[in-house]
């Protein structure tokens, strides 16, 4: 029996499609890599479950559809073959049309099936729901050529399985149309059920992925938070062992590393503090001796006075170094405290410049900043201004201006110079201890030890502010050191 199928073909092939798919895939992978790890884990759960549920749903739907259709078609083929044999036995050359109509009406057909009989040029059918005009032309030609045939197609938007068997001895053919709408409704309900189940399973997998990613990434998040806390100076941070045996070794190693780091830093801090304190006594003796020698300077020969000047300069520099080291050690051991007071920032800057600089430095202040009052430590802020002005004097020929500008929730104090500026790769390292930059030897005849800007950063950080270096906004050569202080700090 011929199984008639409508031909299907593709006209032409687009050679650009693989290239477009490759570009789309590359863009999709690039976007996926920018997602957070937790999001990628959840999406992996969702996509995997969606793929599996879709594959399972399609398989179940296809198998169920095939089984239902095969069962209905096998029953229809058996019935059609039996009815065709009955018609073949009952046909005779002298049979009347009324008898043929009764014959078709009395055939044992399944419920809903529609028989159609052609004898010569006459058609007989007991129902007008399926008539001879509803028989597919290709199917009819195949049957009339002497070959049994079958076909599934729709008639007035209803699915039918139509079987045709030729009866050659009487120039007749028998057709029987079996409706498939019940199977179509069953498959529609099954599709909705499978889609709903797949959606529910996908949502459940998203929740499972969220729970699993949270549980898997929780130790990593704890380690990140602990590392961030340690980076901000809280060396007492430790990780809890937890109930996962696989993470005990990692937790113990991390805690041991932090303990070793804390001990090492504590030893270094104690060493620097003790050395600084031990240096004060001989330094005081040396300073007193130099002062006594300066009182008898007129009695010394020329070469001795030159040596005394060099000694005085180095002792003074050494004294500043020891004081800076002691101040740094207070920050390291955590004993630095703020002596808070409320005052006007503009007045503080003017007094600090007048007390620390021998040259007149122009101060520019916008009207909003002129009225700003902060709660801060006067001594430390004066030292900040002093160190920035001295830094400009040592390395850039002096400060060219000080600018005060009001910002949201804070105020900026900027010190500008006309020196060679600071390279981009040095603008963060220049606030490190004992860092003077590659151009330190070029900026002035007198160089410091590299603790001035480090103390500025520590003082500003203690006030919960920020300090940074940038280019001058007017485009001229030079550097601009900016201190930002919160208005309500701390």
């Amino acid at each position: 029996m011929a199984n008639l199928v409508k031909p299907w073909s593709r006209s032409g092939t687009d050679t650009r499609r693989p290239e477009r798919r490759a570009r789309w895939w590359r863009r999709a992978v690039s976007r996926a890599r920018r997602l957070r790890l937790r999001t990628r884990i959840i999406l992996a759960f969702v996509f995997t479950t969606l793929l599996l549920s879709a594959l399972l749903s399609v398989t179940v739907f296809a198998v169920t559809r095939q089984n239902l259709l095969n069962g209905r078609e096998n029953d229809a083929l058996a019935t059609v073959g039996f009815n065709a044999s009955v018609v073949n036995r009952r046909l005779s050359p002298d049979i009347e049309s009324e008898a043929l109509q009764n014959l078709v009406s009395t055939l044992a057909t399944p419920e809903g099936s529609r028989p159609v009989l052609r004898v010569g040029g006459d058609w007989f059918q007991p129902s007008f729901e399926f008539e001879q005009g509803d028989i597919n032309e290709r199917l009819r030609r195949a049957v009339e050529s002497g070959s049994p045939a079958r076909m599934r197609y729709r008639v007035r938007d209803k699915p039918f399985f139509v079987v045709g068997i030729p009866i050659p001895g009487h120039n007749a053919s028998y057709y029987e149309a079996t409706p498939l709408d019940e199977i179509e409704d069953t498959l529609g309900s099954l599709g909705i059920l499978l889609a709903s189940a797949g959606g529910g399973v996908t949502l459940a997998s998203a929740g499972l992925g969220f729970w699993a990613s949270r549980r898997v990434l929780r130790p990593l998040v704890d380690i990140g938070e602990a590392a961030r806390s340690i980076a901000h100076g809280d060396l007492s941070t430790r990780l809890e062992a937890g109930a996962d045996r696989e993470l005990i070794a990692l937790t113990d190693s991390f805690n041991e590393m932090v303990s070793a780091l804390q001990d090492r830093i504590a030893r270094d801090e104690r060493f620097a503090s003790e050395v600084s304190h031990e240096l004060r006594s001989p330094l005081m003796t040396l300073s007193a001796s130099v002062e006594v020698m300066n009182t008898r300077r007129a009695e010394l020969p020329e070469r001795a006075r030159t040596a005394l000047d060099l000694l005085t300069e180095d002792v003074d520099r050494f004294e500043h170094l020891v004081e800076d080291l002691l101040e740094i050690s207070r920050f390291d051991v955590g004993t630095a405290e703020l002596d808070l007071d409320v005052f006007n920032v503009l007045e503080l800057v003017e007094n600090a410049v007048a007390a620390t600089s021998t040259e007149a430095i122009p101060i520019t202040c916008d009207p909003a900043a002129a009225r700003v009052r902060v709660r801060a430590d006067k001594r430390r802020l004066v030292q900040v201004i002093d160190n920035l002005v001295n830094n400009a004097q040592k390395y850039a020929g002096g400060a060219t201006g000080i600018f005060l500008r009001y910002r949201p929730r804070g105020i900026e104090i900027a010190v500008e110079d006309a020196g060679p500026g600071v390279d981009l790769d040095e603008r963060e390292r220049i606030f490190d201890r004992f860092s003077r930059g590659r151009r330190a030897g070029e900026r002035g005849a007198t160089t410091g030890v590299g603790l001035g800007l480090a103390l500025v950063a520590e003082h500003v950080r203690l006030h919960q502010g920020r300090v940074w270096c940038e280019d001058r906004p007017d485009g001229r050569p030079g550097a601009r050191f900016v201190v930002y202080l919160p208005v309500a700090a701390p």
Side-chain angles (χ1 to χ4, degrees), residues 315-390:
V315 168
D316 183 63
R317 181 168 175 266
F318 191 28
E319 188 174 10
H320 283 292
L321 171 62
V322 172
E323 292 297 330
D324 290 344
L325 285 174
L326 286 174
E327 187 71 27
I328 287 287
S329 66
R330 295 189 190 99
F331 287 106
D332 290 338
V333 299
T335 59
E337 296 180 355
L338 293 175
D339 184 12
L340 298 176
D341 192 9
V342 180
F343 52 87
N344 182 272
V345 179
L346 177 59
E347 295 178 358
L348 175 77
V349 173
E350 291 175 343
N351 295 334
V353 172
T356 59
S357 177
T358 58
E359 299 180 359
I361 301 176
I363 300 175
T364 304
C365 180
D366 61 28
R371 299 188 299 269
V372 170
R373 297 172 65 83
V374 296
R375 186 169 179 259
D377 190 323
K378 279 187 177 182
R379 180 187 68 84
R380 296 185 185 278
L381 290 189
V382 168
Q383 188 173 2
V384 167
I385 303 300
D386 181 30
N387 286 3
L388 292 178
V389 172
N390 287 335

Side-chain angles (χ1 to χ4, degrees), residues 114-184:
R114 282 85 171 180
V116 177
L117 176 63
R118 181 190 63 84
V119 178
D122 299 327
W123 293 84
F124 304 91
Q125 64 269 342
S127 173
F128 293 101
E129 295 182 4
F130 191 89
E131 302 174 342
Q132 70 270 17
D134 297 327
I135 300 175
N136 186 275
E137 185 66 25
R138 294 179 61 232
L139 175 68
R140 185 164 56 186
R141 286 200 304 267
V143 174
E144 291 178 356
S145 65
S147 300
R150 58 183 178 177
M151 180 182 288
R152 283 197 303 266
Y153 58 92
R154 306 185 75 85
V155 176
R156 290 185 287 277
D157 203 31
K158 290 185 178 181
F160 282 91
F161 175 64
V162 184
V163 181
I165 296 179
I167 307 176
H170 303 280
N171 188 22
S173 56
Y174 176 73
Y175 301 90
E176 191 169 307
T178 303
L180 302 178
D181 50 353
E182 182 182 350
I183 294 179
E184 190 175 67

Side-chain angles (χ1 to χ4, degrees), residues 377-448:
D377 190 323
K378 279 187 177 182
R379 180 187 68 84
R380 296 185 185 278
L381 290 189
V382 168
Q383 188 173 2
V384 167
I385 303 300
D386 181 30
N387 286 3
L388 292 178
V389 172
N390 287 335
N391 180 77
Q393 180 64 38
K394 291 177 182 178
Y395 303 128
T400 59
I402 298 178
F403 302 86
L404 279 71
R405 179 175 299 178
Y406 179 76
R407 293 298 186 189
R409 301 182 183 179
I411 187 171
E412 285 183 0
I413 306 172
V415 178
E416 292 186 1
D417 60 54
V422 181
D423 295 335
L424 287 175
D425 58 346
E426 292 184 355
R427 292 182 181 179
E428 292 186 7
R429 294 201 309 266
I430 200 170
F431 294 99
D432 295 339
R433 299 173 187 181
F434 300 103
S435 174
R436 294 183 294 168
R438 292 192 295 267
R439 298 182 181 178
E442 306 172 4
R443 296 184 182 178
T446 304
T447 58

Side-chain angles (χ1 to χ4, degrees), residues 238 254-267:
R238 296 294 185 274
F254 184 87
N255 292 338
E256 290 176 3
M257 178 191 69
V258 177
S259 298
L261 178 63
Q262 185 178 21
D263 293 340
R264 176 63 180 272
I265 292 177
R267 288 197 302 269

Side-chain angles (χ1 to χ4, degrees), residues 235-312:
L235 297 178
S236 62
T237 304
R238 296 294 185 274
L239 292 176
E240 296 182 1
D244 296 327
R245 291 181 298 175
E246 295 83 359
L247 299 176
I248 293 179
L250 175 62
T251 301
D252 292 342
S253 300
F254 184 87
N255 292 338
E256 290 176 3
M257 178 191 69
V258 177
S259 298
L261 178 63
Q262 185 178 21
D263 293 340
R264 176 63 180 272
I265 292 177
R267 288 197 302 269
D268 293 343
E269 291 172 351
R270 287 195 301 270
F271 175 77
S273 179
E274 291 170 0
V275 168
S276 301
H277 280 90
E278 291 297 326
L279 287 176
R280 296 192 71 179
S281 296
L283 182 59
M284 291 177 62
T285 303
L286 188 59
S287 298
S289 301
V290 170
E291 187 176 353
V292 171
M293 294 176 65
N294 277 319
T295 59
R296 308 291 297 262
R297 176 185 178 85
E299 302 175 5
L300 298 176
E302 183 65 26
R303 295 184 61 183
R305 286 198 297 270
T306 303
L308 180 60
D309 292 338
L310 294 175
L311 180 61
T312 302

